[in-house]
Amino acid sequence: MAGPWTIGIIGGSGLYNIEGLKEQQWIAVETPWGEPSDEILCGRIGDVRVRFLPRHGRGHPVSPSEVNARANIDALKRAGCTDILAISAVGSLREELPPGHFVVVDQFIDQTKGRPSTYYGSGFVTHVSMADPVCERLSQMAADAITEAKGKFTAGATYLAMEGPQFSTRAESRMYREWGADVIGMTAMPEAKLAREAELPYALVGMVTDYDCWREGEAVDVAQVVTQMQANGDLAREMIVRLINALPDGRKPSPIDTALDDAVITAPDEHDPELLTRLDAVAGRLIGPL
């Protein structure tokens, strides 16, 4: 049965200047997982509710390694999101993906270290499938929107998530190319994993800012990344508006909406009540009222 859309957008600080976003209001959302990166900008475009969260906070005060992805995804779920579109700056590991190019990511290699990467643990052990880590429907919508905006993009790319905040060594960058990665970034993991655990369809559009450092004589610097991010911003904002305007009148259910149905392995009589209380948003459909 079709229902309303509420699109959550996770992106850079400058992307919330979305043309046509009505009834704008920044709202603080509390979560049992700590503080999100920022308040959530709530509004609507037409009949579609929009929830925007700056991944690093307004003004970029939060380091990639310190982004509280659990709080961010939980907050978006509490804000009523049905789907999440993530937008992220990435480095290119392929000659054919130059700065200014966009990629619609379909796979990930997670090389992050020490970041909390799950909502679940002892007392509610859960194993969601990440074989196909993004939402095919939302990814196709993003690709169509980039086409309508006349942007250059590649559909289907493998994103290597590194820890950072330092950029890669040349040896690492070349190794990641050998692994089959196409782009590199610092934030999509565990974000994509947590979205799946929260039963939120997730798509990621990467905006290429640089060639990383695998090319002889080239290195990445912040000034280069920021300049290209600003150049990419107009197209990213137009993509968002076109995607939202093209949404069907009713949202049909996604298989990801019930990703937890076959994922929980802990027997009901072994469930941890304290943990279940913290899962009231991300797993509320499954665990019901407490």
Side-chain angles (χ1 to χ4, degrees), residues 10-12 37 54-56 60 62-70 72-73 86-90 108-112 115 159-165 184-194 202 204-206:
I10 306 176
S37 297
R55 186 184 283 109
H56 298 279
H60 208 111
V62 184
S63 166
S65 295
E66 296 173 355
V67 170
N68 189 341
R70 289 196 297 185
N72 287 351
I73 297 296
I87 303 169
S88 180
V90 296
F108 298 95
I109 299 172
D110 189 356
Q111 286 291 291
T112 61
R115 304 180 185 185
Y159 177 120
L160 188 292
M162 64 178 293
E163 180 60 36
I184 184 169
M186 300 180 187
T187 56
M189 285 293 175
E191 186 177 272
K193 291 178 178 177
L194 295 165
Y202 175 96
L204 174 64
V205 174

Side-chain angles (χ1 to χ4, degrees), residues 9-13 15 52-53 55-56 60 64 67 85-92 100-105 108 115 146 159-162 183-189 191-192 202-210 225 228-229 232-233 236 239-240:
I9 300 167
I10 306 176
S13 298
L15 290 181
F52 180 86
L53 179 61
R55 186 184 283 109
H56 298 279
H60 208 111
V67 170
L85 173 65
I87 303 169
S88 180
V90 296
S92 170
H101 202 81
F102 280 32
V103 294
V104 181
V105 172
F108 298 95
R115 304 180 185 185
I146 300 170
Y159 177 120
L160 188 292
M162 64 178 293
V183 294
I184 184 169
M186 300 180 187
T187 56
M189 285 293 175
E191 186 177 272
Y202 175 96
L204 174 64
V205 174
M207 307 182 298
V208 178
T209 58
D210 57 85
V225 170
Q228 189 62 57
M229 282 173 59
N232 291 344
M239 173 198 67
I240 292 168

Side-chain angles (χ1 to χ4, degrees), residues 259-278:
L260 294 175
D261 277 359
D262 299 315
V264 180
I265 197 168
T266 301
D269 58 355
E270 293 294 333
H271 287 178
D272 178 356
E274 183 177 346
L275 177 56
L276 293 184
T277 299
R278 302 178 78 193

Side-chain angles (χ1 to χ4, degrees), residues 2-3 24 28 30 50 80-81 123 155 161 166 187 192 212 239 259 262 278-279 286:
Q24 297 187 27
E30 293 184 358
V50 178
C81 290
Q166 305 86 358
T187 56
D212 204 49
M239 173 198 67
D262 299 315
R278 302 178 78 193
L279 298 172
L286 192 69

Side-chain angles (χ1 to χ4, degrees), residues 53-267:
L53 179 61
R55 186 184 283 109
H56 298 279
R58 283 168 283 182
H60 208 111
V62 184
S63 166
S65 295
E66 296 173 355
V67 170
N68 189 341
R70 289 196 297 185
N72 287 351
I73 297 296
D74 180 283
L76 289 170
K77 184 87 172 187
R78 290 179 191 277
C81 290
T82 59
D83 302 79
I84 292 180
L85 173 65
I87 303 169
S88 180
V90 296
S92 170
L93 298 171
R94 303 293 166 197
E95 193 73 46
E96 64 272 20
L97 302 176
H101 202 81
F102 280 32
V103 294
V104 181
V105 172
D106 65 351
Q107 284 293 333
F108 298 95
I109 299 172
D110 189 356
Q111 286 291 291
T112 61
K113 305 169 185 175
R115 304 180 185 185
S117 62
T118 183
Y119 291 111
Y120 306 108
S122 298
F124 202 73
V125 179
T126 302
H127 304 284
V128 297
S129 173
M130 290 296 294
D132 300 301
V134 301
C135 172
E136 183 178 352
R137 176 173 68 182
L138 193 60
S139 296
Q140 184 59 57
M141 290 176 179
D144 292 343
I146 300 170
T147 299
E148 288 293 320
K150 297 181 170 53
K152 295 181 179 179
F153 77 99
T154 296
T158 296
Y159 177 120
L160 188 292
M162 64 178 293
E163 180 60 36
Q166 305 86 358
F167 294 123
S168 307
T169 68
R170 295 194 194 282
E172 289 169 335
S173 189
R174 290 164 181 159
M175 178 179 69
Y176 299 150
R177 279 168 48 83
E178 292 294 323
W179 286 1
D182 302 301
V183 294
I184 184 169
M186 300 180 187
T187 56
M189 285 293 175
E191 186 177 272
K193 291 178 178 177
L194 295 165
R196 180 60 56 90
E197 287 194 340
E199 298 187 323
L200 285 170
Y202 175 96
L204 174 64
V205 174
M207 307 182 298
V208 178
T209 58
D210 57 85
Y211 270 118
D212 204 49
C213 63
W214 55 272
R215 300 206 312 182
E216 198 65 44
E218 289 199 19
V220 190
D221 65 71
V222 170
Q224 172 190 7
V225 170
V226 171
T227 298
Q228 189 62 57
M229 282 173 59
Q230 293 171 342
N232 291 344
D234 287 343
L235 177 59
R237 285 187 291 271
E238 183 176 354
M239 173 198 67
I240 292 168
V241 173
R242 287 183 178 275
L243 184 154
I244 291 172
N245 284 334
L247 289 172
D249 289 339
R251 179 189 183 274
K252 294 182 179 179
S254 162
I256 299 169
D257 298 345
T258 54
L260 294 175
D261 277 359
D262 299 315
V264 180
I265 197 168
T266 301

Side-chain angles (χ1 to χ4, degrees), residues 14-31:
L15 290 181
Y16 55 77
N17 271 329
I18 302 170
E19 184 178 348
L21 185 62
K22 306 296 185 183
E23 302 173 4
Q24 297 187 27
Q25 184 179 8
W26 288 95
I27 296 176
V29 179
E30 293 184 358
T31 88

